[in-house]
Amino acid sequence: MTYSDDFLRTILKRTKTVAVVGVSMNPVRPSYYVARYLSLKGFTLIPVNPGHAGQQLFGAEVKASLSDIDGPVDMVDIFRRSEAVPPIVDEALEQFPDLQTVWMQIGVEHADAAAKAEARGVDVVMNRCPKIEYQRLFGELRMGGFNTGILSSKL
């Protein structure tokens, strides 16, 4: 899938609330540090993981499912295997009438679920990471793939 920088930038600029499905409480897991990064960037984060429901993560209560979320969600960020995507998208479309984006993480793709969301006017991004795209598009990602905060001519 190819997405223009303008398309991705528009999504990231308009998004305020993100439900992260499949978030882990383990700080070495990608879902944990992506969620942490998004929360530090000012996004309202709603963690979703039935195995950790009721616990706190980044100041928010972990929900068991999207149906347990009260209030609007702009983007659903999916950290689950591709075959798990269709029921997540169905639940998101049912629960959030004003949903703007379904984002599937690196390695996660489901064309049929994407088509269903797009038919409802929801933007879809597959096989990408919002943390990486945010860093790349807003000047935080450096040549080595991370921002060290140190200016140097050495790599």
Coordinates of all heavy atoms in Angstrom, one line a residue, residues 11-108:
I11 N -4.3 12.7 8.6 CA -4.8 11.8 9.6 C -4.2 12.1 11.0 O -5.0 12.2 12.0 CB -4.6 10.3 9.2 CG1 -5.4 9.9 8.1 CG2 -4.8 9.4 10.4 CD1 -5.1 8.6 7.5
L12 N -2.9 12.3 11.0 CA -2.3 12.5 12.3 C -2.6 13.8 12.9 O -2.7 14.0 14.1 CB -0.8 12.3 12.2 CG -0.3 10.8 11.9 CD1 1.1 10.8 11.5 CD2 -0.6 9.9 13.0
K13 N -2.8 14.8 12.1 CA -3.2 16.2 12.6 C -4.6 16.2 13.1 O -4.9 16.9 14.1 CB -3.0 17.2 11.5 CG -1.6 17.7 11.3 CD -1.5 18.8 10.2 CE -0.1 19.3 10.1 NZ -0.1 20.4 9.1
R14 N -5.5 15.5 12.5 CA -6.9 15.6 12.9 C -7.3 14.7 14.0 O -8.3 14.9 14.7 CB -7.8 15.4 11.7 CG -7.9 13.9 11.3 CD -8.8 13.6 10.2 NE -8.9 12.2 10.0 CZ -9.1 11.6 8.8 NH1 -9.3 12.4 7.7 NH2 -9.1 10.3 8.7
T15 N -6.5 13.7 14.3 CA -6.8 12.7 15.3 C -6.5 13.2 16.7 O -5.4 13.8 16.9 CB -5.9 11.4 15.0 OG1 -6.3 10.9 13.8 CG2 -6.2 10.4 16.1
K16 N -7.5 13.1 17.5 CA -7.3 13.5 19.0 C -7.4 12.3 19.9 O -6.6 12.2 20.9 CB -8.4 14.5 19.3 CG -8.5 15.7 18.5 CD -7.3 16.6 18.6 CE -7.4 17.8 17.7 NZ -6.3 18.0 16.8
T17 N -8.3 11.3 19.6 CA -8.5 10.2 20.5 C -8.2 8.9 19.7 O -8.7 8.7 18.6 CB -9.9 10.1 21.0 OG1 -10.2 11.4 21.7 CG2 -10.1 9.0 22.0
V18 N -7.3 8.1 20.3 CA -6.9 6.8 19.7 C -7.2 5.6 20.6 O -6.7 5.6 21.8 CB -5.4 6.8 19.4 CG1 -5.0 5.5 18.7 CG2 -5.0 8.0 18.5
A19 N -7.9 4.7 20.1 CA -8.1 3.4 20.8 C -7.1 2.4 20.3 O -7.0 2.2 19.1 CB -9.5 2.8 20.6
V20 N -6.2 1.9 21.2 CA -5.1 1.0 20.8 C -5.5 -0.4 21.1 O -5.5 -0.8 22.3 CB -3.8 1.4 21.4 CG1 -2.7 0.5 20.9 CG2 -3.4 2.9 21.1
V21 N -5.9 -1.2 20.1 CA -6.4 -2.5 20.4 C -5.2 -3.5 20.3 O -4.5 -3.5 19.4 CB -7.4 -2.9 19.3 CG1 -7.9 -4.4 19.5 CG2 -8.6 -2.0 19.3
G22 N -5.1 -4.2 21.4 CA -4.0 -5.2 21.6 C -2.8 -4.6 22.3 O -1.7 -5.2 22.2
V23 N -3.0 -3.5 23.0 CA -1.9 -2.9 23.7 C -1.4 -3.8 24.8 O -2.1 -4.6 25.4 CB -2.3 -1.5 24.3 CG1 -3.2 -1.6 25.4 CG2 -1.0 -0.7 24.7
S24 N -0.1 -3.8 25.0 CA 0.6 -4.6 26.0 C 1.0 -3.8 27.2 O 1.3 -2.6 27.1 CB 1.8 -5.3 25.4 OG 2.5 -6.0 26.4
M25 N 1.0 -4.4 28.4 CA 1.5 -3.7 29.6 C 3.0 -3.9 29.7 O 3.6 -3.4 30.6 CB 0.8 -4.3 30.8 CG -0.7 -4.2 30.8 SD -1.3 -2.6 30.9 CE -1.3 -2.3 32.6
N26 N 3.6 -4.7 28.8 CA 5.0 -5.0 28.8 C 5.8 -3.8 28.1 O 5.6 -3.6 26.9 CB 5.3 -6.3 28.2 CG 6.8 -6.7 28.2 OD1 7.6 -5.9 28.4 ND2 7.0 -8.0 28.0
P27 N 6.7 -3.1 28.8 CA 7.3 -1.9 28.2 C 8.3 -2.2 27.1 O 8.7 -1.3 26.4 CB 8.1 -1.3 29.4 CG 8.1 -2.3 30.5 CD 7.0 -3.2 30.2
V28 N 8.6 -3.5 26.8 CA 9.5 -3.8 25.7 C 8.7 -4.2 24.4 O 9.3 -4.4 23.4 CB 10.5 -4.9 26.0 CG1 11.4 -4.5 27.1 CG2 9.9 -6.2 26.3
R29 N 7.4 -4.3 24.5 CA 6.6 -4.6 23.4 C 6.3 -3.4 22.6 O 6.0 -2.3 23.1 CB 5.2 -5.2 23.8 CG 5.3 -6.5 24.6 CD 5.8 -7.6 23.8 NE 5.0 -7.8 22.6 CZ 4.5 -8.9 22.2 NH1 4.6 -10.0 22.9 NH2 3.7 -8.9 21.1
P30 N 6.3 -3.5 21.2 CA 6.0 -2.3 20.4 C 4.7 -1.6 20.7 O 4.6 -0.4 20.7 CB 6.0 -2.9 19.0 CG 6.9 -4.1 19.1 CD 6.7 -4.7 20.4
S31 N 3.7 -2.4 21.0 CA 2.4 -1.8 21.3 C 2.4 -0.8 22.5 O 1.8 0.2 22.5 CB 1.3 -2.8 21.5 OG 1.5 -3.6 22.6
Y32 N 3.3 -1.2 23.5 CA 3.4 -0.4 24.7 C 4.1 0.9 24.3 O 3.6 2.0 24.7 CB 4.2 -1.1 25.7 CG 4.5 -0.3 27.0 CD1 3.7 -0.5 28.1 CD2 5.6 0.5 27.1 CE1 3.9 0.2 29.3 CE2 5.8 1.2 28.2 CZ 5.0 1.1 29.3 OH 5.2 1.8 30.5
Y33 N 5.3 0.8 23.6 CA 6.0 2.1 23.4 C 5.3 3.0 22.3 O 5.5 4.2 22.4 CB 7.5 1.9 23.2 CG 8.0 1.0 22.1 CD1 8.1 1.5 20.8 CD2 8.5 -0.2 22.4 CE1 8.5 0.7 19.8 CE2 9.0 -1.0 21.4 CZ 9.0 -0.6 20.1 OH 9.5 -1.4 19.1
V34 N 4.6 2.4 21.4 CA 3.8 3.2 20.5 C 2.7 3.9 21.2 O 2.6 5.2 21.0 CB 3.3 2.4 19.3 CG1 2.3 3.1 18.5 CG2 4.4 1.9 18.4
A35 N 2.0 3.2 22.1 CA 1.0 3.9 22.8 C 1.5 5.0 23.7 O 1.0 6.1 23.9 CB 0.2 2.8 23.7
R36 N 2.6 4.7 24.4 CA 3.3 5.7 25.3 C 3.7 6.9 24.5 O 3.4 8.0 24.9 CB 4.5 5.1 25.9 CG 5.2 6.1 26.8 CD 6.4 5.4 27.5 NE 7.1 6.3 28.4 CZ 8.1 7.1 28.0 NH1 8.5 7.1 26.8 NH2 8.6 8.0 28.9
Y37 N 4.3 6.7 23.3 CA 4.7 7.8 22.5 C 3.5 8.7 22.1 O 3.5 9.9 22.2 CB 5.4 7.3 21.2 CG 5.8 8.4 20.2 CD1 7.0 9.1 20.4 CD2 4.9 8.8 19.2 CE1 7.3 10.1 19.6 CE2 5.3 9.8 18.3 CZ 6.5 10.5 18.5 OH 6.8 11.5 17.7
L38 N 2.4 8.0 21.6 CA 1.2 8.8 21.2 C 0.6 9.6 22.4 O 0.2 10.7 22.2 CB 0.1 7.8 20.6 CG 0.5 7.2 19.3 CD1 -0.6 6.2 18.9 CD2 0.8 8.2 18.2
S39 N 0.6 9.0 23.6 CA 0.1 9.7 24.8 C 1.0 10.9 25.1 O 0.5 12.0 25.5 CB 0.0 8.8 26.0 OG 1.2 8.4 26.5
L40 N 2.3 10.7 24.9 CA 3.3 11.8 25.2 C 3.1 13.0 24.2 O 3.4 14.1 24.4 CB 4.7 11.3 25.2 CG 5.1 10.5 26.4 CD1 6.5 9.9 26.2 CD2 5.0 11.2 27.7
K41 N 2.6 12.6 23.0 CA 2.4 13.6 21.9 C 1.1 14.3 22.1 O 0.7 15.2 21.2 CB 2.5 13.0 20.5 CG 4.0 12.7 20.2 CD 4.8 13.9 20.1 CE 6.2 13.7 20.2 NZ 7.0 14.9 20.2
G42 N 0.3 14.0 23.1 CA -0.9 14.7 23.3 C -2.2 14.0 22.9 O -3.3 14.6 23.0
F43 N -2.1 12.9 22.3 CA -3.2 12.1 21.9 C -3.9 11.6 23.1 O -3.2 11.1 24.1 CB -2.9 11.0 20.9 CG -2.3 11.4 19.6 CD1 -1.0 11.6 19.4 CD2 -3.2 11.6 18.5 CE1 -0.5 11.9 18.2 CE2 -2.7 11.9 17.3 CZ -1.3 12.1 17.1
T44 N -5.2 11.6 23.1 CA -6.0 10.9 24.2 C -5.9 9.4 23.9 O -6.4 9.0 22.8 CB -7.4 11.4 24.3 OG1 -7.4 12.8 24.6 CG2 -8.2 10.7 25.4
L45 N -5.4 8.6 24.8 CA -5.2 7.2 24.5 C -6.2 6.4 25.3 O -6.4 6.6 26.5 CB -3.8 6.8 24.9 CG -3.3 5.5 24.5 CD1 -2.9 5.4 23.1 CD2 -2.2 5.0 25.4
I46 N -6.8 5.4 24.6 CA -7.7 4.5 25.2 C -7.1 3.1 24.9 O -7.2 2.6 23.8 CB -9.1 4.6 24.7 CG1 -9.6 6.0 24.9 CG2 -10.0 3.6 25.5 CD1 -11.0 6.3 24.3
P47 N -6.5 2.5 25.9 CA -5.9 1.1 25.7 C -7.0 0.1 25.8 O -7.9 0.1 26.6 CB -4.9 1.0 26.9 CG -5.4 1.9 27.9 CD -6.1 3.0 27.2
V48 N -6.9 -0.9 24.9 CA -7.9 -2.0 24.8 C -7.2 -3.3 24.8 O -6.4 -3.6 23.8 CB -8.7 -1.9 23.5 CG1 -9.8 -3.0 23.4 CG2 -9.4 -0.5 23.4
N49 N -7.4 -4.1 25.8 CA -6.9 -5.5 25.9 C -7.6 -6.2 27.0 O -7.6 -5.9 28.2 CB -5.4 -5.4 26.3 CG -4.7 -6.8 26.2 OD1 -5.3 -7.8 26.6 ND2 -3.5 -6.8 25.8
P50 N -8.4 -7.3 26.6 CA -9.2 -8.0 27.6 C -8.4 -8.6 28.7 O -8.9 -8.7 29.8 CB -10.0 -9.0 26.8 CG -9.2 -9.2 25.5 CD -8.5 -7.8 25.3
G51 N -7.2 -8.9 28.5 CA -6.4 -9.6 29.5 C -5.9 -8.6 30.6 O -5.4 -9.0 31.6
H52 N -6.1 -7.3 30.3 CA -5.6 -6.3 31.3 C -6.7 -5.3 31.6 O -6.4 -4.2 32.2 CB -4.4 -5.5 30.7 CG -3.2 -6.4 30.4 ND1 -2.5 -7.1 31.3 CD2 -2.7 -6.7 29.2 CE1 -1.6 -7.8 30.7 NE2 -1.6 -7.6 29.4
A53 N -7.9 -5.6 31.3 CA -9.1 -4.7 31.5 C -9.1 -4.3 33.0 O -8.9 -5.1 33.9 CB -10.4 -5.4 31.1
G54 N -9.4 -3.0 33.2 CA -9.5 -2.5 34.5 C -8.2 -1.9 35.1 O -8.2 -1.1 36.0
Q55 N -7.1 -2.3 34.5 CA -5.8 -1.8 35.0 C -5.6 -0.4 34.4 O -6.3 0.0 33.4 CB -4.6 -2.7 34.5 CG -4.7 -4.1 35.2 CD -3.6 -5.0 34.8 OE1 -2.4 -4.5 34.7 NE2 -3.9 -6.2 34.5
Q56 N -4.6 0.3 34.9 CA -4.2 1.7 34.4 C -3.0 1.6 33.5 O -2.0 0.9 33.8 CB -4.0 2.6 35.5 CG -5.2 2.9 36.4 CD -6.2 3.8 35.6 OE1 -5.8 4.9 35.1 NE2 -7.4 3.4 35.6
L57 N -3.0 2.3 32.4 CA -1.9 2.5 31.5 C -1.9 3.9 31.0 O -2.8 4.3 30.4 CB -2.0 1.5 30.3 CG -0.8 1.4 29.4 CD1 0.5 0.9 30.1 CD2 -1.1 0.5 28.2
F58 N -0.8 4.6 31.3 CA -0.6 6.0 30.8 C -1.8 6.9 31.3 O -2.3 7.7 30.5 CB -0.4 6.1 29.3 CG 0.6 5.1 28.8 CD1 0.3 4.2 27.8 CD2 1.9 5.1 29.3 CE1 1.2 3.3 27.3 CE2 2.8 4.1 28.9 CZ 2.5 3.3 27.9
G59 N -2.3 6.6 32.5 CA -3.3 7.4 33.0 C -4.7 7.1 32.5 O -5.7 7.8 32.8
A60 N -4.9 6.0 31.8 CA -6.2 5.6 31.3 C -6.5 4.2 31.7 O -5.6 3.3 31.8 CB -6.2 5.7 29.7
E61 N -7.8 3.9 31.9 CA -8.2 2.6 32.2 C -8.2 1.7 31.0 O -8.7 2.1 29.9 CB -9.6 2.6 32.8 CG -10.1 1.2 33.2 CD -11.5 1.2 33.7 OE1 -12.0 2.3 34.1 OE2 -12.1 0.1 33.7
V62 N -7.6 0.5 31.1 CA -7.6 -0.4 30.0 C -9.0 -1.0 29.8 O -9.6 -1.5 30.8 CB -6.6 -1.6 30.2 CG1 -6.6 -2.6 29.0 CG2 -5.1 -1.0 30.4
K63 N -9.5 -1.0 28.6 CA -10.8 -1.5 28.3 C -10.7 -2.9 27.8 O -9.7 -3.2 27.1 CB -11.6 -0.6 27.3 CG -11.7 0.8 27.8 CD -12.6 1.0 29.0 CE -12.8 2.4 29.4 NZ -13.6 2.6 30.6
A64 N -11.7 -3.7 28.0 CA -11.7 -5.1 27.5 C -12.0 -5.2 26.0 O -11.5 -6.0 25.3 CB -12.8 -6.0 28.2
S65 N -12.8 -4.2 25.5 CA -13.2 -4.2 24.1 C -13.5 -2.8 23.7 O -13.7 -1.9 24.5 CB -14.4 -5.1 23.8 OG -15.5 -4.6 24.4
L66 N -13.7 -2.6 22.4 CA -14.1 -1.3 21.9 C -15.5 -0.9 22.4 O -15.8 0.3 22.6 CB -14.0 -1.2 20.4 CG -12.6 -1.4 19.7 CD1 -12.8 -1.5 18.2 CD2 -11.8 -0.2 20.1
S67 N -16.3 -1.9 22.6 CA -17.7 -1.7 23.1 C -17.7 -1.1 24.5 O -18.8 -0.6 24.9 CB -18.5 -2.9 23.0 OG -18.6 -3.4 21.6
D68 N -16.7 -1.2 25.2 CA -16.6 -0.7 26.6 C -16.2 0.7 26.7 O -16.1 1.3 27.7 CB -15.6 -1.6 27.4 CG -16.1 -3.0 27.6 OD1 -17.3 -3.2 27.6 OD2 -15.2 -3.9 27.8
I69 N -15.9 1.3 25.5 CA -15.5 2.7 25.5 C -16.7 3.7 25.4 O -17.6 3.5 24.5 CB -14.6 3.0 24.3 CG1 -13.3 2.1 24.4 CG2 -14.2 4.5 24.2 CD1 -12.4 2.2 23.2
D70 N -16.8 4.6 26.3 CA -17.8 5.6 26.3 C -17.2 6.8 25.6 O -16.2 7.3 26.0 CB -18.3 6.0 27.7 CG -19.0 4.8 28.4 OD1 -19.7 4.1 27.7 OD2 -18.8 4.7 29.6
G71 N -17.9 7.4 24.6 CA -17.4 8.6 24.0 C -16.8 8.3 22.6 O -16.6 7.1 22.2
P72 N -16.5 9.3 21.9 CA -16.0 9.2 20.5 C -14.5 8.7 20.5 O -13.8 9.0 21.4 CB -16.2 10.6 20.0 CG -16.0 11.5 21.2 CD -16.7 10.8 22.3
V73 N -14.2 8.1 19.4 CA -12.8 7.7 19.1 C -12.6 8.1 17.6 O -13.4 7.9 16.8 CB -12.6 6.2 19.2 CG1 -11.3 5.7 18.6 CG2 -12.7 5.8 20.7
D74 N -11.5 8.8 17.4 CA -11.1 9.2 16.1 C -10.4 8.1 15.2 O -10.6 8.0 14.1 CB -10.2 10.5 16.1 CG -10.8 11.6 16.8 OD1 -12.0 11.9 16.6 OD2 -10.1 12.3 17.6
M75 N -9.5 7.4 16.0 CA -8.7 6.4 15.3 C -8.7 5.1 16.1 O -8.5 5.2 17.3 CB -7.3 6.9 15.0 CG -6.4 5.9 14.3 SD -4.9 6.7 13.7 CE -3.9 6.6 15.1
V76 N -8.8 4.0 15.4 CA -8.6 2.7 16.1 C -7.3 2.2 15.5 O -7.1 2.0 14.3 CB -9.7 1.7 15.8 CG1 -9.4 0.3 16.3 CG2 -11.0 2.2 16.5
D77 N -6.3 2.0 16.4 CA -4.9 1.5 16.0 C -4.9 0.0 16.4 O -5.0 -0.3 17.6 CB -3.9 2.3 16.8 CG -2.5 1.9 16.4 OD1 -2.3 1.2 15.4 OD2 -1.6 2.3 17.1
I78 N -4.7 -0.9 15.4 CA -4.8 -2.3 15.7 C -3.4 -3.0 15.7 O -2.7 -3.1 14.8 CB -5.7 -3.0 14.6 CG1 -7.0 -2.3 14.5 CG2 -5.8 -4.5 14.8 CD1 -7.9 -2.8 13.3
F79 N -3.1 -3.6 16.9 CA -2.0 -4.4 17.2 C -2.4 -5.8 17.3 O -2.2 -6.4 18.4 CB -1.3 -3.9 18.5 CG -0.3 -2.8 18.3 CD1 -0.7 -1.5 18.5 CD2 1.0 -3.1 17.9 CE1 0.3 -0.5 18.4 CE2 1.9 -2.1 17.8 CZ 1.6 -0.8 18.0
R80 N -3.0 -6.4 16.3 CA -3.4 -7.8 16.4 C -3.1 -8.4 15.0 O -2.8 -7.7 14.1 CB -4.9 -7.9 16.6 CG -5.5 -7.3 17.9 CD -5.1 -8.2 19.1 NE -5.4 -9.6 18.9 CZ -6.6 -10.2 19.0 NH1 -7.6 -9.5 19.4 NH2 -6.7 -11.5 18.8
R81 N -3.1 -9.7 15.0 CA -2.8 -10.4 13.7 C -3.8 -10.1 12.7 O -5.0 -9.8 13.0 CB -2.8 -11.9 14.0 CG -1.7 -12.4 14.8 CD -1.8 -13.9 15.1 NE -0.8 -14.3 16.1 CZ 0.1 -15.2 15.9 NH1 0.3 -15.7 14.7 NH2 1.0 -15.5 16.8
S82 N -3.4 -10.2 11.4 CA -4.3 -9.8 10.3 C -5.7 -10.5 10.4 O -6.7 -9.9 10.1 CB -3.6 -10.1 9.0 OG -2.5 -9.2 8.9
E83 N -5.7 -11.8 10.7 CA -6.9 -12.6 10.7 C -7.9 -12.1 11.8 O -9.1 -12.4 11.8 CB -6.7 -14.1 10.8 CG -5.9 -14.5 12.1 CD -4.4 -14.6 11.8 OE1 -3.8 -14.0 10.9 OE2 -3.7 -15.2 12.7
A84 N -7.4 -11.4 12.8 CA -8.2 -10.8 13.9 C -8.9 -9.5 13.5 O -9.7 -9.0 14.3 CB -7.4 -10.7 15.2
V85 N -8.5 -8.9 12.4 CA -8.9 -7.6 12.1 C -10.4 -7.4 11.8 O -11.1 -6.5 12.3 CB -8.1 -7.0 10.9 CG1 -8.7 -5.7 10.3 CG2 -6.6 -6.7 11.4
P86 N -11.0 -8.3 11.0 CA -12.5 -8.1 10.6 C -13.4 -7.8 11.8 O -14.2 -6.9 11.8 CB -12.8 -9.3 9.8 CG -11.5 -9.8 9.2 CD -10.5 -9.5 10.3
P87 N -13.4 -8.6 12.9 CA -14.3 -8.3 13.9 C -14.0 -7.0 14.7 O -14.9 -6.4 15.2 CB -14.3 -9.6 14.9 CG -13.0 -10.3 14.5 CD -12.7 -9.9 13.1
I88 N -12.7 -6.7 14.7 CA -12.3 -5.4 15.3 C -12.9 -4.2 14.5 O -13.5 -3.3 15.1 CB -10.8 -5.3 15.5 CG1 -10.3 -6.4 16.4 CG2 -10.4 -3.9 15.9 CD1 -8.8 -6.5 16.4
V89 N -12.8 -4.3 13.2 CA -13.3 -3.3 12.3 C -14.8 -3.2 12.4 O -15.4 -2.1 12.5 CB -12.8 -3.4 10.9 CG1 -13.5 -2.5 9.9 CG2 -11.3 -3.2 10.8
D90 N -15.5 -4.3 12.4 CA -16.9 -4.4 12.6 C -17.4 -3.7 13.9 O -18.3 -2.9 13.9 CB -17.4 -5.8 12.6 CG -17.4 -6.5 11.2 OD1 -17.2 -5.7 10.2 OD2 -17.5 -7.7 11.1
E91 N -16.7 -4.0 15.0 CA -17.0 -3.5 16.3 C -16.8 -2.0 16.3 O -17.6 -1.2 16.8 CB -16.2 -4.1 17.4 CG -16.6 -3.7 18.8 CD -15.8 -4.4 19.8 OE1 -14.7 -5.0 19.6 OE2 -16.2 -4.4 21.0
A92 N -15.7 -1.5 15.7 CA -15.3 -0.1 15.6 C -16.4 0.7 14.8 O -16.8 1.7 15.2 CB -14.0 0.1 15.0
L93 N -16.8 0.1 13.7 CA -17.8 0.8 12.9 C -19.1 0.9 13.6 O -19.9 1.9 13.4 CB -17.9 0.1 11.5 CG -16.7 0.2 10.6 CD1 -16.9 -0.7 9.4 CD2 -16.4 1.6 10.2
E94 N -19.5 -0.1 14.3 CA -20.7 -0.1 15.1 C -20.7 0.8 16.3 O -21.6 1.5 16.5 CB -21.0 -1.5 15.5 CG -22.4 -1.7 16.2 CD -22.7 -3.1 16.6 OE1 -22.4 -4.0 15.9 OE2 -23.2 -3.3 17.8
Q95 N -19.6 0.8 17.0 CA -19.4 1.6 18.2 C -19.2 3.1 18.0 O -19.7 3.9 18.8 CB -18.3 1.0 19.0 CG -18.1 1.6 20.4 CD -19.2 1.4 21.4 OE1 -20.0 0.5 21.2 NE2 -19.2 2.1 22.4
F96 N -18.5 3.4 16.9 CA -18.1 4.8 16.8 C -18.6 5.4 15.4 O -17.9 5.2 14.4 CB -16.6 5.0 16.8 CG -16.0 4.3 18.0 CD1 -15.1 3.2 17.9 CD2 -16.3 4.7 19.3 CE1 -14.6 2.5 19.0 CE2 -15.7 4.1 20.4 CZ -14.9 3.0 20.3
P97 N -19.8 6.0 15.4 CA -20.3 6.4 14.1 C -19.5 7.5 13.5 O -19.6 7.7 12.2 CB -21.7 7.0 14.5 CG -21.7 7.1 16.0 CD -20.6 6.2 16.5
D98 N -18.7 8.2 14.2 CA -17.9 9.3 13.7 C -16.4 8.9 13.5 O -15.5 9.8 13.4 CB -18.0 10.6 14.5 CG -19.4 11.1 14.6 OD1 -20.1 11.0 13.5 OD2 -19.8 11.6 15.6
L99 N -16.1 7.6 13.6 CA -14.7 7.1 13.4 C -14.1 7.6 12.1 O -14.8 7.6 11.1 CB -14.8 5.6 13.4 CG -13.4 4.9 13.3 CD1 -12.6 5.1 14.6 CD2 -13.6 3.4 13.0
Q100 N -12.9 8.1 12.2 CA -12.3 8.7 11.0 C -11.2 7.8 10.4 O -11.0 7.8 9.2 CB -11.6 10.0 11.4 CG -12.5 11.1 11.8 CD -11.8 12.3 12.4 OE1 -10.7 12.3 12.8 NE2 -12.5 13.4 12.3
T101 N -10.6 7.0 11.2 CA -9.4 6.2 10.7 C -9.4 4.8 11.4 O -9.5 4.7 12.6 CB -8.1 6.9 11.0 OG1 -8.2 8.2 10.5 CG2 -6.9 6.2 10.3
V102 N -9.1 3.8 10.6 CA -8.7 2.5 11.1 C -7.2 2.4 10.6 O -6.9 2.5 9.5 CB -9.5 1.3 10.5 CG1 -8.9 0.0 10.8 CG2 -10.9 1.4 11.0
W103 N -6.3 2.2 11.6 CA -4.9 2.1 11.3 C -4.4 0.7 11.8 O -4.6 0.3 12.9 CB -4.1 3.1 12.1 CG -2.7 3.3 11.7 CD1 -1.7 2.4 11.7 CD2 -2.1 4.5 11.2 NE1 -0.6 2.9 11.2 CE2 -0.8 4.2 10.9 CE3 -2.6 5.8 11.0 CZ2 0.1 5.2 10.4 CZ3 -1.8 6.8 10.4 CH2 -0.4 6.5 10.2
M104 N -3.8 0.0 10.8 CA -3.3 -1.4 11.1 C -1.8 -1.3 11.2 O -1.2 -0.8 10.2 CB -3.8 -2.4 10.0 CG -5.3 -2.5 10.0 SD -5.7 -3.7 8.6 CE -7.2 -2.9 8.1
Q105 N -1.2 -1.8 12.2 CA 0.2 -1.7 12.4 C 1.0 -2.5 11.4 O 0.5 -3.2 10.6 CB 0.5 -2.2 13.8 CG 0.2 -1.2 14.9 CD 1.1 0.0 14.9 OE1 2.2 -0.1 14.4 NE2 0.6 1.1 15.4
I106 N 2.3 -2.3 11.5 CA 3.3 -3.0 10.6 C 3.0 -4.5 10.6 O 2.9 -5.1 11.7 CB 4.7 -2.6 11.0 CG1 5.0 -1.2 10.7 CG2 5.7 -3.5 10.2 CD1 6.3 -0.6 11.3
G107 N 2.9 -5.1 9.5 CA 2.6 -6.5 9.3 C 1.1 -6.9 9.4 O 0.8 -8.0 9.3
V108 N 0.3 -5.9 9.6 CA -1.2 -6.2 9.7 C -1.9 -5.6 8.5 O -1.8 -4.4 8.3 CB -1.7 -5.5 11.0 CG1 -3.2 -5.9 11.2 CG2 -1.0 -6.0 12.3

